[in-house]
Amino acid sequence: SLEDYEETVKKAKEAWKVWADIPAPKRGEIVRQIGDALRQKIKVLGSLVSLEMGKIFVEGVGEVQEYVDVCDYAVGLSRMIGGPILPSERPGHALIEQWNPVGLVGIITAFNFPVAVYGWNSAIAMICGNACLWKGAPSTSLVSVAVTKIVAKVLEDNKLPGAICSLVCGGAGIGTAMARDERMDLLSFTGSTKVGKEVALMVQERFGRSLLELGGNNAIIVFEDADLNLVIPSALFAAVGTAGQRCTTARRLFLHESIHDEVVAKLAKAYAQVRIGDPWDSDTLYGPLHTKEAVQMFLNAVEQAKQQGGSVVYGGKVINRPGNYVEPTIVTGLPHNAPIVHTETFAPILYVLKFKEEEEVFAWNNEVKQGLSSSIFTKDLGRIFRWLGPKGSDCGIVNVNIPTSGAEIGGAFGGEKHTGGGRESGSDSWKLYMRRSTCTINYSKDLPLAQGIKFQ
């Protein structure tokens, strides 16, 4: 309830006062212990992710492993964060950059990665000296509670308040309260572009800071010189992994006209070998969608694709078995700008599109509103660097000869345009969880002014 929320925010704010006084390397040591606690429970927690979210067991375990890896990354970072000492133009003056925690970081995460996304945010936020207030997806609250219990035990074993990493379970009402709450010094939101826009406006209205990780309509582009032994498994994994419920899922596959028919035939053959079943079964590669609503969205999208001129060459139907199972689906024959192709449907539907020239297909990659992940398959060195350059992909993640999904924690994760512009985890994304002060110290007995101004 909102009363529970109010109590939780107060406790988190009080806990921050304790946490902010601890030196960053000591905070790193606590995060290291959190990583170890997660290691000990990795299989049981991965199993719970599989049970509640529906992804296959190995993906559930892999998601917990991401949190563990980010903890390891954060431990090293805790001894490295800091600003430069800059040359002052005034004699007897020092010019330095000081980085301090923002305070309380609100973290709203989505159902599809109920552990990892919180891990990316919280491990980095914690070593920066912030307290965290997490609202997981209402449909994966068991996972949220389990993770919070693991983290809280580590904090309390170290005589620290568990409220440093607080949890609120709730729906849109709690999310709205967080977005409007001036006590949230940073709000990190992962979810749909539609809801993300509402959150961003609420946060901006109070001049707050937001970190947005929203939708993706990701493309793989395959040129005539591509190694098809890489292309087929890459397209399969990117389109079918997590039953198409990743923000980095490949939704558009652009094939050069000279190899289009061959790749479609090979891909359909590969789709036919995907083992569909119980996510807890070690042989299963593909489980159910998360909700009944997702099944309906899938059916609606397939119907729209047909109405707009597409042909379903594989899948397209609900599977007759208990649970939210649908067939992984391949659609061909649509133009690059068909409305359904420009719509992100959070389901395993891959639109296969033909192209002739590099310039046109780079433009088609960029013409959708989202800008998260993108990949090309080619051996042409010049083309690779054009793809990485100013007229290439406009996405935050730009790949060559690997699929769109499966990002590493060492690189900043996020995207441009309607993906929100946020960056989580790697590189220098720690700066988003801190505030910067430019500090000038006069250690002389004079008072020279900047730019040589005389004031007498």
Side-chain angles (χ1 to χ4, degrees):
S1 68
L2 287 169
E3 290 77 19
D4 297 329
Y5 167 77
E6 189 61 33
E7 184 187 349
T8 308
V9 174
K10 284 176 181 166
K11 284 184 175 169
K13 280 285 191 186
E14 283 301 310
W16 175 75
K17 293 175 186 173
V18 177
W19 188 240
D21 282 340
I22 295 170
K26 295 275 173 59
R27 297 193 294 253
E29 165 56 20
I30 304 299
V31 172
R32 185 194 67 76
Q33 291 178 34
I34 290 170
D36 280 350
L38 289 161
R39 275 186 181 91
Q40 289 166 20
K41 297 233 171 31
I42 192 163
K43 287 196 172 169
V44 68
L45 192 53
S47 192
L48 183 60
V49 170
S50 184
L51 173 72
E52 195 174 30
M53 184 270 154
K55 64 175 61 173
I56 61 173
F57 173 67
V58 290
E59 285 190 337
V61 171
E63 187 180 334
V64 183
Q65 184 65 49
E66 275 192 59
Y67 192 170
V68 170
D69 291 345
V70 175
C71 286
D72 288 349
Y73 173 81
V75 176
L77 196 60
S78 70
R79 293 182 179 271
M80 294 167 66
I81 54 172
I85 299 173
L86 302 159
S88 174
E89 65 186 54
R90 293 174 279 190
H93 285 58
L95 191 60
I96 65 172
E97 259 186 18
Q98 173 74 25
W99 291 83
N100 285 304
V102 293
L104 179 57
V105 176
I107 303 167
I108 299 177
T109 61
F111 75 86
N112 59 332
F113 280 86
V115 175
V117 174
Y118 175 66
W120 296 345
N121 280 274
S122 65
I124 307 299
M126 285 180 77
I127 61 103
C128 291
N130 301 298
C132 299
L133 179 69
W134 179 23
K135 188 189 98 66
S139 58
T140 54
S141 52
L142 291 179
V143 172
S144 304
V145 171
V147 170
T148 301
K149 280 183 174 287
I150 292 167
V151 174
K153 185 173 190 310
V154 172
L155 290 164
E156 287 159 8
D157 286 351
N158 284 276
K159 308 288 188 287
L160 291 164
I164 290 165
C165 289
S166 292
L167 172 71
V168 282
C169 292
I174 299 295
T176 299
M178 290 174 73
R180 291 196 169 132
D181 194 338
E182 294 202 342
R183 295 168 297 181
M184 295 294 136
D185 299 292
L186 168 68
L187 187 66
S188 174
F189 175 86
T190 302
S192 70
T193 297
K194 179 177 175 289
V195 178
K197 185 178 182 182
E198 293 170 14
V199 168
L201 290 170
M202 284 187 264
V203 174
Q204 183 55 47
E205 197 170 37
R206 61 177 174 85
F207 288 104
R209 288 169 63 167
S210 60
L211 193 169
L212 302 171
E213 294 289 353
L214 311 176
N217 193 347
N218 314 296
I220 293 175
I221 301 170
V222 184
F223 286 91
E224 62 273 28
D225 63 340
D227 181 346
L228 297 190
N229 290 326
L230 292 177
V231 169
I232 303 304
S234 292
L236 181 76
F237 170 69
V240 169
T242 325
Q245 298 169 112
R246 291 181 179 227
C247 51
T248 52
T249 292
R251 309 203 181 279
R252 299 176 295 152
L253 177 63
F254 291 105
L255 301 175
H256 189 268
E257 59 183 8
S258 64
I259 55 164
H260 176 276
D261 294 354
E262 181 188 356
V263 172
V264 169
K266 286 184 172 177
L267 198 56
K269 193 175 174 185
Y271 266 53
Q273 292 167 38
V274 171
R275 295 186 300 276
I276 300 169
D278 184 337
W280 270 356
D281 188 328
S282 59
D283 285 338
T284 301
L285 284 177
Y286 174 94
L289 293 178
H290 187 55
T291 60
K292 291 273 180 282
E293 291 76 18
V295 174
Q296 196 53 53
M297 280 194 317
F298 165 85
L299 287 171
N300 292 346
V302 170
E303 191 52 42
Q304 286 176 52
K306 288 177 184 172
Q307 288 170 5
Q308 291 167 28
S311 301
V312 176
V313 295
Y314 191 90
K317 296 189 288 293
V318 173
I319 298 171
N320 184 21
R321 59 173 292 161
N324 305 317
Y325 287 85
V326 301
E327 293 174 339
T329 299
I330 302 170
V331 177
T332 61
L334 285 165
H336 65 93
N337 56 356
I340 192 63
V341 173
H342 281 231
T343 305
E344 183 197 17
T345 303
F346 223 56
I349 304 172
L350 183 64
Y351 304 109
V352 182
L353 311 147
K354 270 185 197 176
F355 75 93
K356 292 181 181 178
E357 305 292 338
E358 175 190 303
E359 196 174 330
E360 71 175 1
V361 79
F362 283 7
W364 293 350
N365 176 76
N366 297 347
E367 72 184 355
V368 296
K369 290 191 183 298
Q370 304 88 341
L372 179 52
S373 188
S374 54
S375 302
I376 61 166
F377 284 79
T378 185
K379 299 187 187 86
D380 185 324
L381 201 55
R383 179 180 289 142
I384 289 168
F385 280 94
R386 289 190 293 276
W387 172 242
L388 305 180
K391 293 179 180 175
S393 172
D394 65 0
C395 295
I397 298 168
V398 183
N399 294 330
V400 178
N401 295 330
I402 63 163
T404 52
S405 53
E408 294 188 34
I409 58 109
F413 180 89
E416 300 298 322
K417 304 187 299 191
H418 285 215
T419 303
R423 292 295 186 278
E424 289 171 340
S425 199
S427 186
D428 65 347
S429 62
W430 60 268
K431 292 178 178 177
L432 294 166
Y433 300 89
M434 303 196 85
R435 57 179 178 81
R436 178 200 319 235
S437 304
T438 301
C439 311
T440 309
I441 302 160
N442 180 3
Y443 57 89
S444 74
K445 293 183 178 173
D446 299 316
L447 193 65
L449 301 179
Q451 287 86 41
I453 292 170
K454 303 288 184 210
F455 187 74
Q456 291 163 336

